[in-house]
Amino acid sequence: MNNSNRKILVCCGTGCLANNSFEVYTKLKEKLKDTKIAVQPLVKATGCNGLCEKGPVVKILPDDISYFKVSTKDVDAIVEKTILNGEIIDKLLYYDTNEKKKLISHKDATFYKHQQKISLRNIGEVDPLLIEDYLERDGYKALRKVLFEMTSEEIIDVIEASGLRGRGGAGFPTGSKWRTCYKYNNFPKYIVCNGDEGDPGAFMDRSIMEGDPNTVIEGMIICGYAIKSHKGYLYIRDEYELARKNMQIAIDNAKKHGYLGENIIGSNFDFDLEIVRGGGAFVCGESSALMASIEGNVGEPRAKYIRSVEKGLWNQPTILNNVETWANIPPIISNGAKWFKSIGIENNSGTKVFSLVGKVKNTGLVEVPMGTKLRELVFDIGGGIIKDRPFKAIQTGGPSGGCIPKEHLDISLDFDSLSNIGSMMGSGGVIVMDDTTCMVELARYYMEFLSEESCGKCTTCREGIKIMLEILTNITKGEGELEDIELLLDLSETISNASLCGLGKTAPNPVITTIKYFKDEYIDHIVNQKCNAGICKKLTSYYIEEEICIGCGLCAKKCPTNAITGIKKEPHIINADICVKCGACFTNCPTGAVKIGGVVVESKN
Amino acid sequence: MKVKINGKLYNGNTGETLMELAKRNNIYIPNLCHKKGFEGQGRCRLCIVEINDGGKTKIVSSCVYPIKDGIEVSTNSDKIIKIRKNIILLLLLRTPNNDTIKSLAKEYNVDIHYKYLDNKKKENCILCGLCVEACDKLGTKAISLVNRGTTKKVSTPYDDASKDCIGCAACVEVCPTDAISIDDKNGKRTIWNRTFNLVSCSICGKYFTTYEALKYTDDKLNIEKENQICNSCKRKEISKKFKESFKNTY
């Protein structure tokens, strides 16, 4: 076997690390050292490969073999069989649930086939700590191009023509943001990277910072050169320890190699970057609160009637973009606006990274062209719902977004289509829900989240969310009234109209959309005192349908409180007094004989 | 700069907020967190108005909105009244026994018989932040807004007796809802978990401030005063002097 150009890439993203991928990486290195091979293959620890569900991931190049769910026990076999003898280890291959077969290369998997990677292009392929890896994949070429061949106007023209819109949530055109800031002759100007990803279930910015920090740095320097700024800040939430570490190493290495600091690669342009640790407040993802936090003040938003491109950080013109937006800048400069515009759909060019989580088979990080259909994301890439249960809804955009029911499964995933139906793109978090999700409880959950994470500055957001949470809690306890639904909508209107910042204005979205698309569930909770998903425990009871039960006894076996009794092959009975409503019988029954009832125990016995 | 408010044209100055322009022209916009001498904060949300800017209508808070030429403002449209009523309701749910909020609720016909209203609640603070602004302006910075979300409150660090507080009661002075507990008794003042000795006026003998507050201002102004005179005696003294100076002129 020729090992001179062989590479073994071990995913060391957060998800895989949690499953001991670093141990796999070190053991692989040790094992290879002990093995007599003339030319040692290169072993690299990379960033996230996206399919976190099936981690740790080990890829062998150029053979293009991908192993999933690799543990330290598999290391010997990988070296002895695959590296030394070119044999493929069948049990470590990826099983594609859509194609119903095992695959040698991950690239053939339905999960990866539909994807197109721009901002994630290097992740999983490079060692994030080595600037050489980035340079090998055309890193800092775009920077060289702008520094020596382009003027500020030319750079801004390209970004504007590419149609890139801010990937942080609102989708504001990046080029026009840069142009406005460029026009102000007020110096110093600042560049800020928003790395305060806070939506529950979202981790795309984290993966980029961990897996390809140089692309963010390059994007920021390009913008700095375009608008004549010499200082940038990376605001990274404190919980993202690995992201901060990798980012700092990348900054230090970039300085050493002359890509940051004074006289960047001999161009006379100076630019410096500094990491600011965020305290982990959700509201600090809002641009003006984030800037207040960098300045050392309480992270409260301000009214943005004067935009931060005019008066931002320390009241100076500031460009703030999120991590994913920055990661798109170098490829756009290198490949041109036309190339970027050719991807995606009109007014929504390029790709978008989604973090696909919830009740979906393939959870992970996905980058698809804008305009991809939701159905494709959930059923092709995501592989459908776990245990093939019925799809109920997806939630996009985190607490500011909304729920999308199955009627809208064919919606195009882009900024405009999503906001048209009351949801929003947000940072790209997609939570998939099946029939065991209660939509009232979901709305309540988000209100609870926001009651802790709202900054509390303005009356409508702080007090409005508090009372909405109270009303929703009552409904989930079976103490709601029909008027409460109208009241919730009335309060939502006030909060979205009168709140100070974007977070407050969008805070009622989960409530508004669940009422819009799942009003029946609200009514069920209030009038019928029943939670069909079996989530609101006060409104749930389980019973066994006598005609369907085959008496297999699985439910009784799974019941943690021994509440189910019955003779083999005869219908079983649930004792409501002992039942703790955990739902184990419901999810485990092979014939669907276990039914969910309301507050009153429905039983024929 | 010309701004139309409720159908009438007014001349505005560059940099002026909508609230300032309205106040200058005696147009009433309800507000709780705005005060002369303090910059707009946009916290209480009561001052929201509807503006039409080149055909686009939007709701803005007038205390922080810098006026633009040609905008049309409505301070009392049906939509604004409806939302404002709800804002007052939200404040009332927070402070059901506060007189300021209760009278606002009455003014706007907000239904007080509301099932989520807890009449036993003793809260009076609406988190307008004026006390914090006042303390900040004075330079003492003894209190601040702490926590976030629904647990936000005004407090000293760790709720302890603040070593920075001088007991000047500027916070009490600016509070729109009388929410700050202050107790002046037997020559002592208790405020923000700390007790101060009060100073009596060398003319009328009334207690009027704390030693710490006097020392703080004297140090700042770099002066040394022998007699401490209260504000009302100070006014009397000044008017006496004023009168005498007139006597000498004529």
Side-chain angles (χ1 to χ4, degrees):
Chain A
M1 255 289 145
N2 174 25
N3 280 310
S4 61
N5 58 353
R6 235 190 188 158
K7 266 193 221 170
I8 306 175
L9 305 176
V10 183
C11 178
C12 285
T14 299
C16 287
L17 277 179
N19 285 310
N20 295 327
S21 69
F22 195 73
E23 283 75 6
V24 172
Y25 166 73
T26 41
K27 205 173 163 200
L28 253 173
K29 280 188 116 172
E30 279 167 25
K31 174 79 187 167
L32 283 165
K33 228 199 263 167
D34 298 340
T35 315
K36 285 197 180 91
I37 311 177
V39 188
Q40 288 273 336
L42 210 57
V43 185
K44 276 181 186 296
T46 71
C48 180
N49 278 282
L51 195 52
C52 307
E53 168 83 16
K54 303 271 187 297
V57 186
V58 174
K59 292 186 292 190
I60 298 159
L61 298 175
D63 319 46
D64 209 5
I65 301 168
S66 317
Y67 289 146
F68 289 81
K69 292 204 172 183
V70 178
S71 79
T72 46
K73 284 182 210 150
D74 302 318
V75 169
D76 288 351
I78 291 176
V79 173
E80 282 155 19
K81 287 189 181 160
T82 313
I83 304 296
L84 292 176
N85 296 314
E87 266 175 58
I88 287 165
I89 305 165
D90 198 57
K91 71 159 188 157
L92 294 175
L93 291 179
Y94 176 72
Y95 178 76
D96 194 307
T97 46
N98 293 62
E99 308 250 341
K100 304 229 181 307
K101 65 174 183 198
K102 288 203 170 178
L103 302 167
I104 295 171
S105 167
H106 70 282
K107 286 177 199 137
D108 298 327
T110 329
F111 180 80
Y112 289 105
K113 256 197 303 201
H114 295 250
Q115 297 194 45
Q116 182 172 6
K117 297 198 173 188
I118 296 176
S119 53
L120 303 179
R121 67 196 180 282
N122 294 327
I123 302 173
E125 308 297 328
V126 301
D127 182 337
L129 303 183
L130 298 177
I131 195 170
E132 293 81 4
D133 275 23
Y134 184 66
L135 292 170
E136 203 175 277
R137 292 175 63 93
D138 294 340
Y140 291 111
K141 261 200 184 155
L143 178 65
R144 197 173 287 275
K145 186 175 173 186
V146 300
L147 290 178
F148 296 105
E149 295 167 27
M150 293 173 87
T151 62
S152 293
E153 280 93 349
E154 281 166 351
I155 299 167
I156 295 169
D157 284 348
V158 170
I159 300 299
E160 206 165 51
S162 75
L164 175 69
R165 293 169 72 172
R167 280 2 186 193
F172 191 81
T174 307
S176 83
K177 189 189 263 186
W178 290 20
R179 190 175 300 283
T180 323
C181 192
Y182 171 69
K183 280 183 189 154
Y184 289 109
N185 273 319
N186 180 6
F187 297 93
K189 294 179 182 177
Y190 296 106
I191 309 286
V192 179
C193 169
N194 184 349
D196 192 68
E197 190 170 49
D199 290 358
F203 55 101
M204 56 289 283
D205 291 350
R206 170 186 206 155
S207 286
I208 295 173
M209 289 189 286
E210 289 174 358
D212 190 18
N214 280 296
T215 185
V216 180
I217 297 173
E218 189 177 359
M220 290 177 81
I221 310 172
I222 291 170
C223 179
Y225 176 74
I227 67 151
K228 297 185 168 45
S229 159
H230 302 286
K231 177 86 193 179
Y233 292 91
L234 282 143
Y235 189 86
I236 307 175
R237 60 185 299 147
D238 202 47
E239 292 92 325
Y240 285 3
E241 202 189 331
L242 184 63
R244 269 191 292 116
K245 196 192 98 196
N246 288 2
M247 212 48 160
Q248 190 60 57
I249 294 171
I251 289 174
D252 295 344
N253 282 338
K255 271 185 200 164
K256 257 185 238 158
H257 284 76
Y259 294 105
L260 262 180
E262 281 171 24
N263 191 17
I264 293 175
I265 45 175
S267 65
N268 273 332
F269 174 66
D270 305 338
F271 191 77
D272 201 11
L273 269 177
E274 194 181 310
I275 292 178
V276 180
R277 279 167 66 177
F282 177 74
V283 67
C284 287
E286 197 278 343
S287 63
S288 60
L290 185 150
M291 288 180 201
S293 176
I294 293 180
E295 291 168 9
N297 298 317
V298 177
E300 281 183 347
R302 60 166 176 83
K304 289 197 284 191
Y305 303 128
I306 301 170
R307 301 231 158 239
S308 49
V309 281
E310 185 184 349
K311 281 183 177 179
L313 206 52
W314 290 292
N315 273 329
Q316 293 301 118
T318 305
I319 293 274
L320 178 138
N321 281 129
N322 90 321
V323 174
E324 194 187 332
T325 317
W326 290 122
N328 273 297
I329 301 297
I332 292 175
I333 295 290
S334 296
N335 304 326
K338 238 188 193 162
W339 162 80
F340 193 74
K341 237 190 148 146
S342 71
I343 303 158
I345 55 170
E346 218 194 328
N347 290 326
N348 288 275
S349 40
T351 55
K352 176 78 194 88
V353 184
F354 292 98
S355 62
L356 192 59
V357 295
K359 303 281 178 63
V360 66
K361 282 178 189 161
N362 304 327
T363 56
L365 213 55
V366 176
E367 183 168 358
V368 289
M370 288 267 190
T372 299
K373 298 278 181 281
L374 177 59
R375 188 186 296 278
E376 194 179 332
L377 184 71
V378 176
F379 289 94
D380 296 335
I381 298 171
I385 311 296
I386 295 174
K387 288 189 176 174
D388 294 317
R389 296 199 76 88
F391 169 89
K392 187 184 236 174
I394 68 150
Q395 208 274 346
T396 62
S400 310
C403 293
I404 303 171
K406 63 169 181 281
E407 294 92 283
H408 289 298
L409 256 176
D410 287 307
I411 193 170
S412 140
L413 290 165
D414 62 76
F415 289 108
D416 308 317
S417 309
L418 286 171
S419 67
N420 279 346
I421 58 163
S423 186
M424 69 186 276
M425 177 81 89
S427 58
V430 172
I431 304 172
V432 180
M433 293 170 282
D434 65 7
D435 61 335
T436 60
T437 310
C438 169
M439 302 313 275
V440 184
E441 167 57 26
L442 180 90
R444 194 206 63 79
Y445 164 79
Y446 276 114
M447 286 304 111
E448 190 179 12
F449 177 87
L450 288 168
S451 76
E452 286 165 13
E453 293 297 343
S454 146
C455 80
K457 179 176 179 174
C458 76
T459 308
T460 42
C461 177
R462 182 189 64 237
E463 304 300 328
I465 286 169
K466 187 168 180 246
I467 186 72
M468 293 230 289
L469 172 62
E470 209 173 308
I471 296 168
L472 287 162
T473 309
N474 275 348
I475 298 177
T476 56
K477 282 196 215 153
E479 291 159 18
E481 290 170 40
L482 275 179
E483 299 104 78
D484 287 343
I485 299 177
E486 288 313 305
L487 184 63
L488 283 171
L489 289 174
D490 186 32
L491 287 167
S492 296
E493 196 194 342
T494 298
I495 298 170
S496 52
N497 271 309
S499 290
L500 179 77
C501 78
L503 187 141
K505 284 181 194 296
T506 53
N509 278 355
V511 180
I512 298 172
T513 50
T514 47
I515 294 180
K516 185 173 173 189
Y517 297 119
F518 299 95
K519 201 173 181 179
D520 289 356
E521 277 192 38
Y522 278 84
I523 294 171
D524 243 4
H525 279 70
I526 296 167
V527 180
N528 304 331
Q529 299 276 294
K530 195 175 166 194
C531 173
N532 272 326
I535 296 294
C536 304
K537 293 299 165 205
K538 282 209 164 172
L539 304 181
T540 299
S541 64
Y542 291 97
Y543 66 95
I544 295 170
E545 196 95 59
E546 215 175 303
E547 288 82 13
I548 310 174
C549 181
I550 52 165
C552 69
L554 196 61
C555 54
K557 218 170 164 185
K558 295 277 178 189
C559 180
T561 57
N562 296 324
I564 304 175
T565 48
I567 308 163
K568 270 240 144 148
K569 292 190 178 168
E570 272 177 42
H572 282 47
I573 296 167
I574 301 173
N575 182 345
D577 295 334
I578 314 175
C579 174
V580 289
K581 301 167 184 176
C582 69
C585 51
F586 177 76
T587 42
N588 282 297
C589 178
T591 57
V594 180
K595 302 280 177 199
I596 298 176
V599 71
V600 189
V601 182
E602 291 168 45
S603 172
K604 287 188 176 177
N605 300 294
Chain B
M1 210 184 288
K2 291 247 187 290
V3 173
K4 202 181 243 182
I5 305 179
N6 298 336
K8 231 175 118 184
L9 272 179
Y10 297 92
N11 274 318
N13 306 320
T14 313
E16 204 171 21
T17 64
L18 205 47
M19 175 75 88
E20 284 162 346
L21 175 68
K23 277 206 167 165
R24 238 175 358 96
N25 292 291
N26 297 320
I27 301 162
Y28 170 66
I29 303 174
N31 64 84
L32 289 165
C33 71
H34 186 82
K35 209 156 194 126
K36 210 176 171 185
F38 296 96
E39 268 174 55
Q41 303 184 82
R43 284 181 194 275
C44 78
R45 314 310 296 159
L46 274 180
C47 72
I48 50 158
V49 294
E50 208 172 351
I51 62 161
N52 187 324
D53 182 7
K56 271 191 189 159
T57 59
K58 59 178 175 185
I59 292 172
V60 300
S61 39
S62 49
C63 72
V64 284
Y65 185 81
I67 50 167
K68 271 184 159 169
D69 192 37
I71 54 166
E72 288 176 29
V73 183
S74 166
T75 65
N76 285 312
S77 68
D78 289 348
K79 189 173 180 184
I80 288 296
I81 295 293
K82 186 175 173 242
I83 296 171
R84 206 176 275 155
K85 266 179 136 167
N86 266 350
I87 297 172
I88 297 167
L89 172 70
L90 290 172
L91 288 169
L92 194 67
L93 288 167
R94 180 182 173 88
T95 61
N97 289 307
N98 186 274
D99 291 337
T100 313
I101 305 300
K102 270 173 23 190
S103 73
L104 252 175
K106 207 168 166 190
E107 187 187 327
Y108 276 85
N109 279 324
V110 176
D111 182 15
I112 305 186
H113 304 287
Y114 189 73
K115 77 168 178 182
Y116 287 94
L117 200 76
D118 174 11
N119 270 317
K120 281 178 257 149
K121 242 187 184 171
K122 289 206 178 86
E123 184 64 76
N124 280 306
C125 174
I126 53 148
L127 295 170
C128 74
L130 278 172
C131 51
V132 177
E133 293 276 307
C135 199
D136 198 57
K137 274 234 155 126
L138 213 66
T140 37
K141 300 189 178 184
I143 50 170
S144 53
L145 283 154
V146 297
N147 299 347
R148 61 173 183 252
T150 46
T151 55
K152 201 177 188 100
K153 62 176 182 176
V154 177
S155 189
T156 53
Y158 305 106
D159 295 337
D160 278 346
S162 161
K163 64 173 179 10
D164 297 321
C165 180
I166 53 170
C168 70
C171 49
V172 179
E173 193 81 20
V174 296
C175 179
T177 54
D178 290 322
I180 298 168
S181 128
I182 179 169
D183 187 29
D184 286 0
K185 216 170 19 194
N186 307 326
K188 287 191 192 312
R189 165 175 295 172
T190 305
I191 187 167
W192 296 113
N193 306 322
R194 193 171 153 190
T195 305
F196 297 88
N197 284 320
L198 287 169
V199 181
S200 58
C201 172
S202 59
I203 298 175
C204 70
K206 262 188 207 153
Y207 289 118
F208 72 101
T209 190
T210 66
Y211 281 107
E212 284 81 354
L214 284 174
K215 190 171 177 311
Y216 183 82
T217 42
D218 288 356
D219 283 356
K220 272 223 153 165
L221 300 168
N222 207 7
I223 49 166
E224 242 173 83
K225 271 184 271 167
E226 280 171 19
N227 296 328
Q228 304 298 358
I229 307 166
C230 75
N231 279 343
S232 77
C233 288
K234 213 181 275 170
R235 264 195 292 274
K236 276 183 207 156
E237 287 292 294
I238 291 168
S239 54
K240 219 189 278 172
K241 272 186 196 161
F242 199 57
K243 204 169 156 191
E244 267 160 26
S245 71
F246 266 92
K247 244 186 229 163
N248 295 338
T249 320
Y250 301 100

